[in-house]
Amino acid sequence: MKPIVIAQLTDTHIREGGAFAYGRVDTASFLARAVEHLNALQPDAVVLTGDLVDYGTAAEYETFRTLIAPLRVPLHVIPGNHDSALIWDAFPSGDTARAGLGHTVDVGPLRLVMMDSTIPGAPNGLATEERCRYVADALAGGPSLLFLHHPPFLTGIAHMDRNNCHEAARLAAAIAPADGLLAVGCGHVHRMISATVGGRRTLIAPSPAHAVSLDLSPDGPATFHLEPPGVLLHVVTREADGWHHVSHLSPIGAFAGPFPFFQEDGELV
Ligand SMILES: [Fe+2]
């Protein structure tokens, strides 16, 4: 079976008219390059795990829609703490999404469960009882991936951990029995980080723009670095012994290669 490839894009932080974020980050140009990158990769779907825009205004969503329009892959979005309810005007979804629970998308045999973790006006997330029930019901059955904006684990980056997904133990308990759940994908921290939650591999995807600084001191300031941008690929395959998930970091940029390891006679170059 051909692998199912889900590309995870996150935290694009677009401002109105393509204005720079924080006076420095050209998030519009970064998103344009991410779209080119994804069009070249041609995954089966793209999941955008929140913070599409910075202030949640209609004008920002309009700019976002213009920038994402060249994407030639189906796109599914969930909100982050920088989004607003206007996200569902820009990307219409069902009643459960508008109700703040989430929504579900099937890509062939693979189910994508997209959980809303946001609280209007708050920087942190929350795994409410209703959301966890929605996720547990949606996960029942075959192979699946779960996506939410706020990580349900501590990263060691203190100022981000204060605003992660609160009540994460409830979410861990909700997903633990879901045999088909292969992995969990999050955003919010703008850098590639992994942990185990509810017995599942749980990954934070990098941003296609700026990265939250890697500072593990307890009083580290809220700062960012312009590290190499990227997307995360979730590759799902069916083998004789069942479904498997493997993740790949795909950096965005122009890199020299490919170069062969071997000459025509089979000797190493
Ligand atoms: Fe963000």
Side-chain angles (χ1 to χ4, degrees), residues 123-180:
N124 65 286
L126 186 63
T128 65
E129 269 178 43
E130 293 76 14
R131 287 168 173 167
C132 290
R133 208 175 307 126
Y134 173 79
V135 165
D137 288 348
L139 289 175
S144 55
L145 298 173
L146 170 65
F147 293 98
L148 68 159
H149 179 69
H150 297 85
F153 64 90
L154 296 173
T155 63
I157 302 176
H159 66 95
M160 296 304 291
D161 285 344
R162 283 192 284 277
N163 294 319
N164 72 355
C165 182
H166 293 186
E167 305 287 344
R170 184 183 286 135
L171 181 63
I175 65 176
D179 292 336

Side-chain angles (χ1 to χ4, degrees), residues 25 45 49 80 95 98 112 129 142 150 158 167 177 184 204 224 243 256:
V25 189
T49 43
D95 292 345
R98 281 198 182 266
L112 310 180
E129 269 178 43
H150 297 85
E167 305 287 344
V184 181
I204 302 175
F224 63 87
W243 291 91

Side-chain angles (χ1 to χ4, degrees), residues 10-13 22 50-51 81-82 149 160 187-190 210:
T10 197
D11 294 85
T12 47
H13 287 269
Y22 324 113
D51 286 0
N81 49 295
H82 285 262
H149 179 69
M160 296 304 291
H188 197 50
V189 193
H190 296 223
H210 52 298

Side-chain angles (χ1 to χ4, degrees), residues 1-84:
M1 175 194 145
K2 188 176 157 290
I4 303 170
V5 180
I6 308 297
Q8 188 186 349
L9 174 69
T10 197
D11 294 85
T12 47
H13 287 269
I14 296 303
R15 287 203 181 176
E16 182 177 349
F20 285 15
Y22 324 113
R24 188 178 297 272
V25 189
D26 184 2
T27 50
S29 294
F30 277 122
L31 177 53
R33 286 195 283 276
V35 167
E36 273 178 39
H37 187 77
L38 292 165
N39 280 339
L41 284 170
Q42 280 296 301
D44 295 286
V46 174
V47 170
L48 209 175
T49 43
D51 286 0
L52 282 62
V53 301
D54 228 9
Y55 290 109
T57 65
E60 285 185 342
Y61 285 113
E62 195 52 48
T63 303
F64 181 90
R65 279 173 52 89
T66 301
L67 290 163
I68 205 75
L71 181 67
R72 298 192 306 273
V73 181
L75 174 70
H76 308 291
V77 308
I78 45 175
N81 49 295
H82 285 262
D83 290 298
S84 72

Side-chain angles (χ1 to χ4, degrees), residues 234-251:
H234 298 274
V235 181
V236 174
T237 52
R238 184 171 202 170
E239 312 292 346
D241 62 345
W243 291 91
H244 291 263
H245 166 271
V246 67
S247 60
H248 293 272
L249 170 65
S250 182

